[in-house]
Amino acid sequence: STLGLDGLRYDHKDRPELNHSVVDFVASPEFMNRPPQAPIYVFVIDVCYTAVASGMVKATCNAIFQAIKTKLSKNERTKVGFITFDSA
């Protein structure tokens, strides 16, 4: 196990993501000079032969389609981009 008797990971000092966090505060309208930027989502998909033959690309595309249809399309200003790559 990576946990010590105190319940902390042994390597927590070597893992910045466990020691430094980020907090986002949503500014109220009186602090904004302009409306918030539209959300942008970029999906990177491996389209190598193995990924296509195994059905991973189809499953990924179906999951992205459902996410766009049910959640991401609620804001009409949302932008979506796709990057495909083949490692061969």
Side-chain angles (χ1 to χ4, degrees), residues 22-39:
V22 175
V23 177
D24 290 333
F25 294 97
V26 178
S28 58
E30 61 263 15
F31 290 104
M32 295 185 193
N33 293 331
R34 59 179 168 71
Q37 293 289 325

Side-chain angles (χ1 to χ4, degrees), residues 23-72:
V23 177
D24 290 333
F25 294 97
V26 178
S28 58
E30 61 263 15
F31 290 104
M32 295 185 193
N33 293 331
R34 59 179 168 71
Q37 293 289 325
I40 300 172
Y41 299 92
V42 178
F43 298 95
V44 181
I45 306 169
D46 180 0
V47 293
C48 70
Y49 175 80
T50 306
V52 173
S54 69
M56 185 59 68
V57 174
K58 184 175 182 179
T60 300
C61 290
N62 286 337
I64 292 171
F65 176 74
Q66 289 301 318
I68 291 171
K69 191 166 97 173
T70 59
K71 301 207 186 274
L72 304 183

Side-chain angles (χ1 to χ4, degrees), residues 14-25:
D14 300 325
R15 307 276 304 269
E17 69 273 15
L18 300 176
N19 294 297
H20 307 288
S21 60
V22 175
V23 177
D24 290 333
F25 294 97

Side-chain angles (χ1 to χ4, degrees), residues 1-12:
S1 174
T2 58
L3 297 179
L5 295 176
D6 57 0
L8 297 176
R9 290 180 61 114
Y10 291 119
D11 62 347
H12 73 90

